[in-house]
Amino acid sequence: MGKPHEKLEAWRISMELAKAVYDLTSCFPAEERYGLSQQMRRAAVSIPSNLAEGSGRNHTKEYLQFIGISRGSLAELETQLKLAVMLGFVSAEHPAIALADSVGRLLTGLHKKWSNV
């Protein structure tokens, strides 16, 4: 774990979330292969990807912008998870939902930390 973003708990947990989303969408109906499942996968991958990109930037303002993008992707994913529950594709107790909550708290903390620098 030599890269700066790999030391972030928010990045590590969001990587777990992305894996959980891949696992849960693999069980979606075939007709959702290019629909909701792909949307969810893109949103989930965007969260740690933007944290990694932001941590590689030179200025705090840029880093905050990428944290904000991660937060937006998380909000998108949470909406899609709720829709998947409503459609009966996934249980409301799926571990991805708890991981999404954890990532949200971590991203909020990270944003607050860097907003005060």
Side-chain angles (χ1 to χ4, degrees):
M1 292 213 304
K3 309 280 185 201
H5 61 275
E6 292 176 347
K7 296 174 185 166
L8 294 173
E9 186 177 7
W11 180 84
R12 290 193 306 268
I13 303 299
S14 64
M15 289 290 284
E16 289 180 34
L17 173 59
K19 183 185 181 311
V21 167
Y22 267 78
D23 291 345
L24 80 87
T25 56
S26 68
C27 300
F28 278 16
E31 65 267 15
E32 287 300 325
R33 182 171 298 143
Y34 301 107
L36 183 59
S37 64
Q38 287 301 313
Q39 290 279 94
M40 292 175 73
R41 287 176 174 193
R42 280 193 295 271
V45 168
S46 176
I47 299 165
S49 297
N50 278 291
L51 287 174
E53 185 172 352
S55 72
R57 297 296 176 134
N58 294 325
H59 301 288
T60 300
K61 187 176 178 180
E62 288 178 299
Y63 189 29
L64 277 169
Q65 179 181 356
F66 282 94
I67 293 169
I69 294 168
S70 290
R71 292 171 80 187
S73 294
L74 177 63
E76 180 181 356
L77 177 60
E78 288 173 326
T79 298
Q80 294 158 349
L81 284 166
K82 288 180 182 182
L83 181 58
V85 169
M86 289 172 61
L87 293 170
F89 296 163
V90 66
S91 163
E93 288 79 36
H94 193 280
I97 295 170
L99 284 169
D101 287 340
S102 295
V103 170
R105 286 190 296 277
L106 291 166
L107 289 176
T108 296
L110 198 56
H111 188 267
K112 285 180 181 177
K113 174 186 174 184
W114 287 98
S115 292
N116 295 324
V117 172

mmCIF file of all heavy atoms in Angstrom, residues 18-67:
data_model
loop_
_atom_site.group_PDB
_atom_site.id
_atom_site.type_symbol
_atom_site.label_atom_id
_atom_site.label_comp_id
_atom_site.label_asym_id
_atom_site.label_seq_id
_atom_site.Cartn_x
_atom_site.Cartn_y
_atom_site.Cartn_z
ATOM 1 N N ALA A 18 -17.598 -1.636 -4.301
ATOM 2 C CA ALA A 18 -17.619 -1.911 -5.743
ATOM 3 C C ALA A 18 -17.672 -3.416 -6.002
ATOM 4 O O ALA A 18 -18.446 -3.886 -6.847
ATOM 5 C CB ALA A 18 -16.408 -1.283 -6.422
ATOM 6 N N LYS A 19 -16.891 -4.176 -5.250
ATOM 7 C CA LYS A 19 -16.917 -5.633 -5.412
ATOM 8 C C LYS A 19 -18.289 -6.189 -5.050
ATOM 9 O O LYS A 19 -18.837 -7.041 -5.756
ATOM 10 C CB LYS A 19 -15.846 -6.298 -4.562
ATOM 11 C CG LYS A 19 -15.808 -7.808 -4.760
ATOM 12 C CD LYS A 19 -14.831 -8.488 -3.843
ATOM 13 C CE LYS A 19 -14.774 -9.984 -4.058
ATOM 14 N NZ LYS A 19 -16.048 -10.684 -4.094
ATOM 15 N N ALA A 20 -18.869 -5.695 -3.969
ATOM 16 C CA ALA A 20 -20.197 -6.162 -3.546
ATOM 17 C C ALA A 20 -21.250 -5.846 -4.607
ATOM 18 O O ALA A 20 -22.148 -6.658 -4.861
ATOM 19 C CB ALA A 20 -20.583 -5.524 -2.209
ATOM 20 N N VAL A 21 -21.117 -4.692 -5.253
ATOM 21 C CA VAL A 21 -22.062 -4.320 -6.312
ATOM 22 C C VAL A 21 -21.897 -5.246 -7.514
ATOM 23 O O VAL A 21 -22.878 -5.699 -8.108
ATOM 24 C CB VAL A 21 -21.905 -2.834 -6.702
ATOM 25 C CG1 VAL A 21 -22.646 -2.512 -7.990
ATOM 26 C CG2 VAL A 21 -22.403 -1.948 -5.564
ATOM 27 N N TYR A 22 -20.668 -5.564 -7.863
ATOM 28 C CA TYR A 22 -20.446 -6.520 -8.952
ATOM 29 C C TYR A 22 -21.061 -7.869 -8.607
ATOM 30 O O TYR A 22 -21.709 -8.508 -9.451
ATOM 31 C CB TYR A 22 -18.953 -6.664 -9.258
ATOM 32 C CG TYR A 22 -18.494 -5.747 -10.354
ATOM 33 C CD1 TYR A 22 -18.258 -4.394 -10.090
ATOM 34 C CD2 TYR A 22 -18.310 -6.199 -11.649
ATOM 35 C CE1 TYR A 22 -17.847 -3.533 -11.091
ATOM 36 C CE2 TYR A 22 -17.898 -5.348 -12.662
ATOM 37 C CZ TYR A 22 -17.669 -4.018 -12.378
ATOM 38 O OH TYR A 22 -17.272 -3.164 -13.388
ATOM 39 N N ASP A 23 -20.874 -8.307 -7.371
ATOM 40 C CA ASP A 23 -21.435 -9.590 -6.947
ATOM 41 C C ASP A 23 -22.962 -9.577 -7.014
ATOM 42 O O ASP A 23 -23.573 -10.507 -7.530
ATOM 43 C CB ASP A 23 -20.979 -9.940 -5.530
ATOM 44 C CG ASP A 23 -19.496 -10.276 -5.443
ATOM 45 O OD1 ASP A 23 -18.867 -10.527 -6.498
ATOM 46 O OD2 ASP A 23 -18.958 -10.277 -4.312
ATOM 47 N N LEU A 24 -23.575 -8.529 -6.485
ATOM 48 C CA LEU A 24 -25.037 -8.510 -6.445
ATOM 49 C C LEU A 24 -25.649 -8.335 -7.830
ATOM 50 O O LEU A 24 -26.671 -8.932 -8.134
ATOM 51 C CB LEU A 24 -25.577 -7.484 -5.452
ATOM 52 C CG LEU A 24 -25.681 -6.004 -5.783
ATOM 53 C CD1 LEU A 24 -26.994 -5.691 -6.474
ATOM 54 C CD2 LEU A 24 -25.631 -5.207 -4.500
ATOM 55 N N THR A 25 -25.022 -7.564 -8.700
ATOM 56 C CA THR A 25 -25.594 -7.371 -10.036
ATOM 57 C C THR A 25 -25.405 -8.592 -10.934
ATOM 58 O O THR A 25 -26.114 -8.733 -11.928
ATOM 59 C CB THR A 25 -25.005 -6.124 -10.729
ATOM 60 O OG1 THR A 25 -23.584 -6.230 -10.788
ATOM 61 C CG2 THR A 25 -25.412 -4.848 -10.001
ATOM 62 N N SER A 26 -24.488 -9.468 -10.570
ATOM 63 C CA SER A 26 -24.307 -10.679 -11.371
ATOM 64 C C SER A 26 -25.529 -11.591 -11.283
ATOM 65 O O SER A 26 -25.716 -12.461 -12.135
ATOM 66 C CB SER A 26 -23.042 -11.430 -10.935
ATOM 67 O OG SER A 26 -23.199 -11.962 -9.640
ATOM 68 N N CYS A 27 -26.376 -11.368 -10.289
ATOM 69 C CA CYS A 27 -27.594 -12.158 -10.111
ATOM 70 C C CYS A 27 -28.842 -11.470 -10.683
ATOM 71 O O CYS A 27 -29.939 -12.004 -10.570
ATOM 72 C CB CYS A 27 -27.821 -12.433 -8.623
ATOM 73 S SG CYS A 27 -26.481 -13.350 -7.855
ATOM 74 N N PHE A 28 -28.675 -10.301 -11.272
ATOM 75 C CA PHE A 28 -29.811 -9.586 -11.856
ATOM 76 C C PHE A 28 -30.323 -10.351 -13.076
ATOM 77 O O PHE A 28 -29.582 -11.109 -13.704
ATOM 78 C CB PHE A 28 -29.399 -8.175 -12.278
ATOM 79 C CG PHE A 28 -29.381 -7.155 -11.170
ATOM 80 C CD1 PHE A 28 -29.388 -7.516 -9.835
ATOM 81 C CD2 PHE A 28 -29.342 -5.811 -11.471
ATOM 82 C CE1 PHE A 28 -29.365 -6.570 -8.835
ATOM 83 C CE2 PHE A 28 -29.323 -4.856 -10.482
ATOM 84 C CZ PHE A 28 -29.335 -5.237 -9.154
ATOM 85 N N PRO A 29 -31.570 -10.119 -13.451
ATOM 86 C CA PRO A 29 -32.104 -10.757 -14.656
ATOM 87 C C PRO A 29 -31.277 -10.376 -15.891
ATOM 88 O O PRO A 29 -30.695 -9.290 -15.951
ATOM 89 C CB PRO A 29 -33.520 -10.186 -14.769
ATOM 90 C CG PRO A 29 -33.850 -9.649 -13.421
ATOM 91 C CD PRO A 29 -32.559 -9.271 -12.787
ATOM 92 N N ALA A 30 -31.254 -11.261 -16.866
ATOM 93 C CA ALA A 30 -30.456 -11.050 -18.080
ATOM 94 C C ALA A 30 -30.818 -9.749 -18.788
ATOM 95 O O ALA A 30 -29.941 -9.076 -19.331
ATOM 96 C CB ALA A 30 -30.622 -12.235 -19.027
ATOM 97 N N GLU A 31 -32.084 -9.375 -18.754
ATOM 98 C CA GLU A 31 -32.496 -8.145 -19.451
ATOM 99 C C GLU A 31 -31.935 -6.882 -18.789
ATOM 100 O O GLU A 31 -31.971 -5.805 -19.368
ATOM 101 C CB GLU A 31 -34.022 -8.050 -19.580
ATOM 102 C CG GLU A 31 -34.764 -7.927 -18.269
ATOM 103 C CD GLU A 31 -35.222 -9.267 -17.685
ATOM 104 O OE1 GLU A 31 -34.736 -10.326 -18.128
ATOM 105 O OE2 GLU A 31 -36.057 -9.230 -16.775
ATOM 106 N N GLU A 32 -31.395 -7.012 -17.589
ATOM 107 C CA GLU A 32 -30.783 -5.873 -16.902
ATOM 108 C C GLU A 32 -29.278 -5.795 -17.114
ATOM 109 O O GLU A 32 -28.618 -4.920 -16.570
ATOM 110 C CB GLU A 32 -31.087 -5.934 -15.403
ATOM 111 C CG GLU A 32 -32.505 -5.588 -15.061
ATOM 112 C CD GLU A 32 -32.896 -4.185 -15.503
ATOM 113 O OE1 GLU A 32 -32.061 -3.261 -15.474
ATOM 114 O OE2 GLU A 32 -34.062 -4.018 -15.892
ATOM 115 N N ARG A 33 -28.725 -6.689 -17.900
ATOM 116 C CA ARG A 33 -27.277 -6.729 -18.111
ATOM 117 C C ARG A 33 -26.741 -5.373 -18.597
ATOM 118 O O ARG A 33 -25.670 -4.945 -18.210
ATOM 119 C CB ARG A 33 -26.916 -7.824 -19.107
ATOM 120 C CG ARG A 33 -25.412 -7.931 -19.322
ATOM 121 C CD ARG A 33 -25.043 -9.144 -20.136
ATOM 122 N NE ARG A 33 -25.450 -10.344 -19.396
ATOM 123 C CZ ARG A 33 -25.946 -11.436 -19.974
ATOM 124 N NH1 ARG A 33 -26.099 -11.496 -21.262
ATOM 125 N NH2 ARG A 33 -26.277 -12.465 -19.236
ATOM 126 N N TYR A 34 -27.494 -4.711 -19.467
ATOM 127 C CA TYR A 34 -27.035 -3.424 -20.004
ATOM 128 C C TYR A 34 -27.869 -2.268 -19.469
ATOM 129 O O TYR A 34 -27.792 -1.169 -19.982
ATOM 130 C CB TYR A 34 -27.058 -3.448 -21.532
ATOM 131 C CG TYR A 34 -26.170 -4.541 -22.082
ATOM 132 C CD1 TYR A 34 -26.698 -5.682 -22.646
ATOM 133 C CD2 TYR A 34 -24.791 -4.435 -21.967
ATOM 134 C CE1 TYR A 34 -25.885 -6.694 -23.116
ATOM 135 C CE2 TYR A 34 -23.957 -5.438 -22.427
ATOM 136 C CZ TYR A 34 -24.518 -6.568 -23.006
ATOM 137 O OH TYR A 34 -23.699 -7.564 -23.454
ATOM 138 N N GLY A 35 -28.626 -2.526 -18.453
ATOM 139 C CA GLY A 35 -29.466 -1.500 -17.861
ATOM 140 C C GLY A 35 -28.980 -1.107 -16.484
ATOM 141 O O GLY A 35 -27.871 -0.585 -16.306
ATOM 142 N N LEU A 36 -29.803 -1.415 -15.509
ATOM 143 C CA LEU A 36 -29.528 -1.010 -14.131
ATOM 144 C C LEU A 36 -28.209 -1.576 -13.617
ATOM 145 O O LEU A 36 -27.456 -0.871 -12.940
ATOM 146 C CB LEU A 36 -30.687 -1.441 -13.222
ATOM 147 C CG LEU A 36 -30.604 -1.034 -11.769
ATOM 148 C CD1 LEU A 36 -30.515 0.486 -11.615
ATOM 149 C CD2 LEU A 36 -31.803 -1.580 -10.999
ATOM 150 N N SER A 37 -27.884 -2.812 -13.950
ATOM 151 C CA SER A 37 -26.648 -3.403 -13.421
ATOM 152 C C SER A 37 -25.419 -2.631 -13.901
ATOM 153 O O SER A 37 -24.498 -2.388 -13.114
ATOM 154 C CB SER A 37 -26.536 -4.885 -13.773
ATOM 155 O OG SER A 37 -26.435 -5.070 -15.162
ATOM 156 N N GLN A 38 -25.396 -2.227 -15.158
ATOM 157 C CA GLN A 38 -24.245 -1.460 -15.657
ATOM 158 C C GLN A 38 -24.169 -0.071 -15.032
ATOM 159 O O GLN A 38 -23.079 0.415 -14.717
ATOM 160 C CB GLN A 38 -24.296 -1.354 -17.189
ATOM 161 C CG GLN A 38 -23.947 -2.647 -17.883
ATOM 162 C CD GLN A 38 -22.562 -3.136 -17.509
ATOM 163 O OE1 GLN A 38 -21.596 -2.397 -17.506
ATOM 164 N NE2 GLN A 38 -22.480 -4.411 -17.163
ATOM 165 N N GLN A 39 -25.325 0.550 -14.831
ATOM 166 C CA GLN A 39 -25.359 1.861 -14.168
ATOM 167 C C GLN A 39 -24.792 1.758 -12.760
ATOM 168 O O GLN A 39 -24.006 2.604 -12.324
ATOM 169 C CB GLN A 39 -26.804 2.370 -14.094
ATOM 170 C CG GLN A 39 -27.397 2.776 -15.407
ATOM 171 C CD GLN A 39 -26.962 4.165 -15.794
ATOM 172 O OE1 GLN A 39 -25.984 4.339 -16.517
ATOM 173 N NE2 GLN A 39 -27.664 5.156 -15.319
ATOM 174 N N MET A 40 -25.196 0.715 -12.047
ATOM 175 C CA MET A 40 -24.741 0.525 -10.674
ATOM 176 C C MET A 40 -23.247 0.246 -10.626
ATOM 177 O O MET A 40 -22.537 0.786 -9.776
ATOM 178 C CB MET A 40 -25.514 -0.621 -10.012
ATOM 179 C CG MET A 40 -26.977 -0.301 -9.791
ATOM 180 S SD MET A 40 -27.913 -1.698 -9.139
ATOM 181 C CE MET A 40 -27.288 -1.730 -7.459
ATOM 182 N N ARG A 41 -22.773 -0.565 -11.543
ATOM 183 C CA ARG A 41 -21.341 -0.874 -11.578
ATOM 184 C C ARG A 41 -20.510 0.372 -11.876
ATOM 185 O O ARG A 41 -19.486 0.603 -11.234
ATOM 186 C CB ARG A 41 -21.068 -1.971 -12.612
ATOM 187 C CG ARG A 41 -21.542 -3.332 -12.158
ATOM 188 C CD ARG A 41 -21.347 -4.384 -13.213
ATOM 189 N NE ARG A 41 -21.694 -5.710 -12.695
ATOM 190 C CZ ARG A 41 -21.386 -6.832 -13.296
ATOM 191 N NH1 ARG A 41 -20.734 -6.825 -14.450
ATOM 192 N NH2 ARG A 41 -21.733 -7.990 -12.763
ATOM 193 N N ARG A 42 -20.964 1.180 -12.823
ATOM 194 C CA ARG A 42 -20.212 2.407 -13.146
ATOM 195 C C ARG A 42 -20.172 3.357 -11.957
ATOM 196 O O ARG A 42 -19.130 3.947 -11.656
ATOM 197 C CB ARG A 42 -20.814 3.089 -14.368
ATOM 198 C CG ARG A 42 -20.383 2.465 -15.680
ATOM 199 C CD ARG A 42 -20.727 3.352 -16.865
ATOM 200 N NE ARG A 42 -22.164 3.513 -17.026
ATOM 201 C CZ ARG A 42 -22.944 2.701 -17.747
ATOM 202 N NH1 ARG A 42 -22.440 1.669 -18.366
ATOM 203 N NH2 ARG A 42 -24.231 2.939 -17.855
ATOM 204 N N ALA A 43 -21.309 3.524 -11.288
ATOM 205 C CA ALA A 43 -21.356 4.420 -10.128
ATOM 206 C C ALA A 43 -20.445 3.898 -9.020
ATOM 207 O O ALA A 43 -19.704 4.673 -8.399
ATOM 208 C CB ALA A 43 -22.790 4.561 -9.616
ATOM 209 N N ALA A 44 -20.484 2.583 -8.784
ATOM 210 C CA ALA A 44 -19.668 1.989 -7.715
ATOM 211 C C ALA A 44 -18.179 2.132 -8.006
ATOM 212 O O ALA A 44 -17.389 2.456 -7.109
ATOM 213 C CB ALA A 44 -20.038 0.521 -7.530
ATOM 214 N N VAL A 45 -17.780 1.917 -9.238
ATOM 215 C CA VAL A 45 -16.362 2.032 -9.621
ATOM 216 C C VAL A 45 -15.903 3.487 -9.560
ATOM 217 O O VAL A 45 -14.751 3.776 -9.230
ATOM 218 C CB VAL A 45 -16.135 1.432 -11.021
ATOM 219 C CG1 VAL A 45 -14.767 1.782 -11.567
ATOM 220 C CG2 VAL A 45 -16.318 -0.076 -10.986
ATOM 221 N N SER A 46 -16.804 4.396 -9.823
ATOM 222 C CA SER A 46 -16.473 5.820 -9.827
ATOM 223 C C SER A 46 -16.049 6.324 -8.447
ATOM 224 O O SER A 46 -15.216 7.234 -8.339
ATOM 225 C CB SER A 46 -17.681 6.618 -10.320
ATOM 226 O OG SER A 46 -17.445 7.997 -10.249
ATOM 227 N N ILE A 47 -16.578 5.732 -7.402
ATOM 228 C CA ILE A 47 -16.300 6.223 -6.049
ATOM 229 C C ILE A 47 -14.810 6.090 -5.700
ATOM 230 O O ILE A 47 -14.138 7.103 -5.463
ATOM 231 C CB ILE A 47 -17.204 5.532 -5.005
ATOM 232 C CG1 ILE A 47 -18.674 5.827 -5.314
ATOM 233 C CG2 ILE A 47 -16.841 5.997 -3.595
ATOM 234 C CD1 ILE A 47 -19.652 4.915 -4.593
ATOM 235 N N PRO A 48 -14.238 4.879 -5.696
ATOM 236 C CA PRO A 48 -12.808 4.790 -5.370
ATOM 237 C C PRO A 48 -11.909 5.376 -6.461
ATOM 238 O O PRO A 48 -10.829 5.883 -6.167
ATOM 239 C CB PRO A 48 -12.567 3.286 -5.194
ATOM 240 C CG PRO A 48 -13.631 2.625 -6.000
ATOM 241 C CD PRO A 48 -14.820 3.544 -5.889
ATOM 242 N N SER A 49 -12.377 5.336 -7.702
ATOM 243 C CA SER A 49 -11.572 5.879 -8.802
ATOM 244 C C SER A 49 -11.349 7.377 -8.633
ATOM 245 O O SER A 49 -10.241 7.881 -8.828
ATOM 246 C CB SER A 49 -12.250 5.611 -10.145
ATOM 247 O OG SER A 49 -12.341 4.232 -10.389
ATOM 248 N N ASN A 50 -12.403 8.086 -8.252
ATOM 249 C CA ASN A 50 -12.265 9.532 -8.059
ATOM 250 C C ASN A 50 -11.469 9.874 -6.812
ATOM 251 O O ASN A 50 -10.743 10.874 -6.801
ATOM 252 C CB ASN A 50 -13.637 10.204 -8.062
ATOM 253 C CG ASN A 50 -14.119 10.434 -9.462
ATOM 254 O OD1 ASN A 50 -13.567 11.259 -10.181
ATOM 255 N ND2 ASN A 50 -15.119 9.673 -9.881
ATOM 256 N N LEU A 51 -11.565 9.045 -5.788
ATOM 257 C CA LEU A 51 -10.706 9.262 -4.615
ATOM 258 C C LEU A 51 -9.238 9.098 -4.999
ATOM 259 O O LEU A 51 -8.386 9.876 -4.572
ATOM 260 C CB LEU A 51 -11.065 8.285 -3.494
ATOM 261 C CG LEU A 51 -12.370 8.558 -2.762
ATOM 262 C CD1 LEU A 51 -12.676 7.430 -1.794
ATOM 263 C CD2 LEU A 51 -12.316 9.897 -2.051
ATOM 264 N N ALA A 52 -8.954 8.083 -5.809
ATOM 265 C CA ALA A 52 -7.573 7.861 -6.249
ATOM 266 C C ALA A 52 -7.085 9.022 -7.105
ATOM 267 O O ALA A 52 -5.972 9.531 -6.899
ATOM 268 C CB ALA A 52 -7.484 6.552 -7.029
ATOM 269 N N GLU A 53 -7.907 9.456 -8.045
ATOM 270 C CA GLU A 53 -7.488 10.564 -8.910
ATOM 271 C C GLU A 53 -7.298 11.846 -8.110
ATOM 272 O O GLU A 53 -6.313 12.569 -8.299
ATOM 273 C CB GLU A 53 -8.505 10.788 -10.026
ATOM 274 C CG GLU A 53 -8.045 11.839 -11.010
ATOM 275 C CD GLU A 53 -8.924 11.971 -12.239
ATOM 276 O OE1 GLU A 53 -9.839 11.155 -12.440
ATOM 277 O OE2 GLU A 53 -8.668 12.916 -13.010
ATOM 278 N N GLY A 54 -8.224 12.119 -7.207
ATOM 279 C CA GLY A 54 -8.120 13.330 -6.400
ATOM 280 C C GLY A 54 -6.895 13.353 -5.517
ATOM 281 O O GLY A 54 -6.258 14.395 -5.344
ATOM 282 N N SER A 55 -6.532 12.189 -4.978
ATOM 283 C CA SER A 55 -5.363 12.153 -4.104
ATOM 284 C C SER A 55 -4.066 12.366 -4.879
ATOM 285 O O SER A 55 -3.048 12.714 -4.296
ATOM 286 C CB SER A 55 -5.305 10.842 -3.331
ATOM 287 O OG SER A 55 -4.958 9.770 -4.177
ATOM 288 N N GLY A 56 -4.129 12.179 -6.175
ATOM 289 C CA GLY A 56 -2.950 12.403 -7.008
ATOM 290 C C GLY A 56 -2.832 13.833 -7.506
ATOM 291 O O GLY A 56 -1.876 14.168 -8.211
ATOM 292 N N ARG A 57 -3.774 14.663 -7.181
ATOM 293 C CA ARG A 57 -3.743 16.070 -7.607
ATOM 294 C C ARG A 57 -2.845 16.893 -6.697
ATOM 295 O O ARG A 57 -2.521 16.493 -5.591
ATOM 296 C CB ARG A 57 -5.167 16.649 -7.621
ATOM 297 C CG ARG A 57 -6.081 15.974 -8.610
ATOM 298 C CD ARG A 57 -5.579 16.206 -10.018
ATOM 299 N NE ARG A 57 -6.378 15.484 -10.995
ATOM 300 C CZ ARG A 57 -6.816 16.015 -12.117
ATOM 301 N NH1 ARG A 57 -6.548 17.271 -12.401
ATOM 302 N NH2 ARG A 57 -7.513 15.286 -12.958
ATOM 303 N N ASN A 58 -2.494 18.073 -7.168
ATOM 304 C CA ASN A 58 -1.531 18.917 -6.455
ATOM 305 C C ASN A 58 -2.138 19.883 -5.446
ATOM 306 O O ASN A 58 -1.418 20.405 -4.606
ATOM 307 C CB ASN A 58 -0.705 19.715 -7.461
ATOM 308 C CG ASN A 58 0.183 18.824 -8.297
ATOM 309 O OD1 ASN A 58 0.691 17.824 -7.813
ATOM 310 N ND2 ASN A 58 0.340 19.175 -9.557
ATOM 311 N N HIS A 59 -3.436 20.132 -5.560
ATOM 312 C CA HIS A 59 -4.028 21.177 -4.720
ATOM 313 C C HIS A 59 -5.247 20.661 -3.963
ATOM 314 O O HIS A 59 -6.004 19.825 -4.456
ATOM 315 C CB HIS A 59 -4.434 22.373 -5.581
ATOM 316 C CG HIS A 59 -3.283 22.970 -6.334
ATOM 317 N ND1 HIS A 59 -2.300 23.704 -5.724
ATOM 318 C CD2 HIS A 59 -2.938 22.895 -7.633
ATOM 319 C CE1 HIS A 59 -1.408 24.078 -6.625
ATOM 320 N NE2 HIS A 59 -1.762 23.588 -7.800
ATOM 321 N N THR A 60 -5.440 21.182 -2.769
ATOM 322 C CA THR A 60 -6.549 20.797 -1.914
ATOM 323 C C THR A 60 -7.884 21.028 -2.611
ATOM 324 O O THR A 60 -8.786 20.192 -2.520
ATOM 325 C CB THR A 60 -6.501 21.592 -0.586
ATOM 326 O OG1 THR A 60 -5.256 21.303 0.065
ATOM 327 C CG2 THR A 60 -7.645 21.221 0.323
ATOM 328 N N LYS A 61 -8.019 22.142 -3.316
ATOM 329 C CA LYS A 61 -9.278 22.459 -4.000
ATOM 330 C C LYS A 61 -9.625 21.367 -5.018
ATOM 331 O O LYS A 61 -10.777 20.956 -5.134
ATOM 332 C CB LYS A 61 -9.181 23.818 -4.676
ATOM 333 C CG LYS A 61 -10.472 24.299 -5.268
ATOM 334 C CD LYS A 61 -10.328 25.701 -5.829
ATOM 335 C CE LYS A 61 -11.637 26.139 -6.460
ATOM 336 N NZ LYS A 61 -11.548 27.480 -7.013
ATOM 337 N N GLU A 62 -8.624 20.884 -5.735
ATOM 338 C CA GLU A 62 -8.861 19.811 -6.709
ATOM 339 C C GLU A 62 -9.265 18.527 -5.988
ATOM 340 O O GLU A 62 -10.172 17.811 -6.434
ATOM 341 C CB GLU A 62 -7.608 19.542 -7.537
ATOM 342 C CG GLU A 62 -7.276 20.629 -8.535
ATOM 343 C CD GLU A 62 -5.996 20.299 -9.272
ATOM 344 O OE1 GLU A 62 -4.939 20.186 -8.610
ATOM 345 O OE2 GLU A 62 -6.052 20.146 -10.504
ATOM 346 N N TYR A 63 -8.584 18.213 -4.904
ATOM 347 C CA TYR A 63 -8.889 17.008 -4.137
ATOM 348 C C TYR A 63 -10.330 17.053 -3.638
ATOM 349 O O TYR A 63 -11.075 16.071 -3.753
ATOM 350 C CB TYR A 63 -7.900 16.869 -2.988
ATOM 351 C CG TYR A 63 -7.956 15.560 -2.249
ATOM 352 C CD1 TYR A 63 -8.344 14.376 -2.857
ATOM 353 C CD2 TYR A 63 -7.591 15.501 -0.913
ATOM 354 C CE1 TYR A 63 -8.372 13.179 -2.164
ATOM 355 C CE2 TYR A 63 -7.608 14.299 -0.220
ATOM 356 C CZ TYR A 63 -8.006 13.152 -0.849
ATOM 357 O OH TYR A 63 -8.034 11.971 -0.160
ATOM 358 N N LEU A 64 -10.739 18.192 -3.114
ATOM 359 C CA LEU A 64 -12.114 18.350 -2.640
ATOM 360 C C LEU A 64 -13.116 18.139 -3.767
ATOM 361 O O LEU A 64 -14.185 17.564 -3.558
ATOM 362 C CB LEU A 64 -12.305 19.735 -2.021
ATOM 363 C CG LEU A 64 -11.869 19.879 -0.575
ATOM 364 C CD1 LEU A 64 -11.843 21.339 -0.169
ATOM 365 C CD2 LEU A 64 -12.768 19.073 0.340
ATOM 366 N N GLN A 65 -12.775 18.608 -4.952
ATOM 367 C CA GLN A 65 -13.657 18.431 -6.101
ATOM 368 C C GLN A 65 -13.861 16.935 -6.386
ATOM 369 O O GLN A 65 -14.981 16.486 -6.616
ATOM 370 C CB GLN A 65 -13.091 19.127 -7.329
ATOM 371 C CG GLN A 65 -13.953 18.969 -8.561
ATOM 372 C CD GLN A 65 -13.357 19.659 -9.771
ATOM 373 O OE1 GLN A 65 -12.328 20.318 -9.694
ATOM 374 N NE2 GLN A 65 -14.005 19.508 -10.900
ATOM 375 N N PHE A 66 -12.795 16.149 -6.328
ATOM 376 C CA PHE A 66 -12.906 14.719 -6.596
ATOM 377 C C PHE A 66 -13.607 13.975 -5.462
ATOM 378 O O PHE A 66 -14.324 12.996 -5.711
ATOM 379 C CB PHE A 66 -11.536 14.113 -6.914
ATOM 380 C CG PHE A 66 -11.107 14.419 -8.322
ATOM 381 C CD1 PHE A 66 -10.308 15.508 -8.593
ATOM 382 C CD2 PHE A 66 -11.535 13.619 -9.372
ATOM 383 C CE1 PHE A 66 -9.932 15.797 -9.892
ATOM 384 C CE2 PHE A 66 -11.159 13.901 -10.672
ATOM 385 C CZ PHE A 66 -10.356 14.991 -10.945
ATOM 386 N N ILE A 67 -13.440 14.437 -4.231
ATOM 387 C CA ILE A 67 -14.211 13.862 -3.124
ATOM 388 C C ILE A 67 -15.689 14.120 -3.375
ATOM 389 O O ILE A 67 -16.537 13.241 -3.176
ATOM 390 C CB ILE A 67 -13.756 14.444 -1.763
ATOM 391 C CG1 ILE A 67 -12.327 13.996 -1.442
ATOM 392 C CG2 ILE A 67 -14.724 14.027 -0.647
ATOM 393 C CD1 ILE A 67 -11.701 14.720 -0.258
#
